[in-house]
Amino acid sequence: MPLDPALQYPDRTHPAEGEMREIADGIYWLRFPLPFALNHVHAWLLRDGDSWCLVDCGIGGERMRDLWARLIEQHLDGKPITRLLVTHYHPDHVGSASIIDDLQQPLLVMNETEWLYTRMFALD
């Protein structure tokens, strides 16, 4: 699908799997794979002083665990992710939360209703 010429895109290409792309000072765009027709999801890392705030985190699974471990080791300059802000309960936005928690132990920031939906679907 062609890009809408009325919109201003920060970059005409998307980041590669596991790559961080700075699109503004301290704002990084990440793109993670999905195992179905919608084949990717976006996440964002925000520089937050001596740490990072992560907005959404991708779907769970071993492939994502490997991607996150590599990204943390190679691209975060030794700074921890101290906050994980999840926008909504869809598995492609919250699915790696436990992976991030295992690797970095950030504070999870999520609206209560979305958290309850996440728990409900995880237990279903």
Side-chain angles (χ1 to χ4, degrees):
M1 173 186 305
L3 297 176
D4 184 340
L7 297 175
Q8 291 185 357
Y9 294 91
D11 197 326
R12 305 294 282 178
T13 62
H14 55 76
E17 184 176 293
E19 174 192 358
M20 288 174 52
R21 169 108 28 104
E22 189 170 24
I23 59 167
D25 187 35
I27 300 173
Y28 293 83
W29 174 23
L30 300 97
R31 187 174 188 260
F32 293 114
L34 293 175
F36 36 80
L38 174 62
N39 67 359
H40 68 278
V41 65
H42 300 283
W44 309 93
L45 272 166
L46 313 175
R47 195 175 310 121
D48 190 18
D50 289 334
S51 64
W52 296 97
C53 175
L54 173 61
V55 180
D56 291 336
C57 56
I59 202 161
E62 286 306 310
R63 182 177 182 188
M64 286 298 295
R65 180 174 294 281
D66 294 343
L67 280 171
W68 272 115
R70 187 175 71 231
L71 194 140
I72 288 167
E73 181 181 316
Q74 296 176 0
H75 298 291
L76 299 189
D77 300 326
K79 297 178 182 176
I81 298 170
T82 56
R83 287 186 288 165
L84 168 55
L85 189 148
V86 176
T87 58
H88 60 286
Y89 72 92
H90 289 166
D92 56 328
H93 293 263
V94 70
S96 283
S98 64
I99 293 169
I100 301 301
D101 186 60
D102 288 346
L103 298 171
Q104 296 281 293
Q105 295 85 44
L107 172 67
L108 176 64
V109 180
M110 189 175 189
N111 143 339
E112 182 181 31
T113 303
E114 296 297 326
W115 182 83
L116 290 169
Y117 271 123
T118 299
R119 296 297 302 152
M120 179 182 71
F121 285 112
L123 296 171
D124 188 17

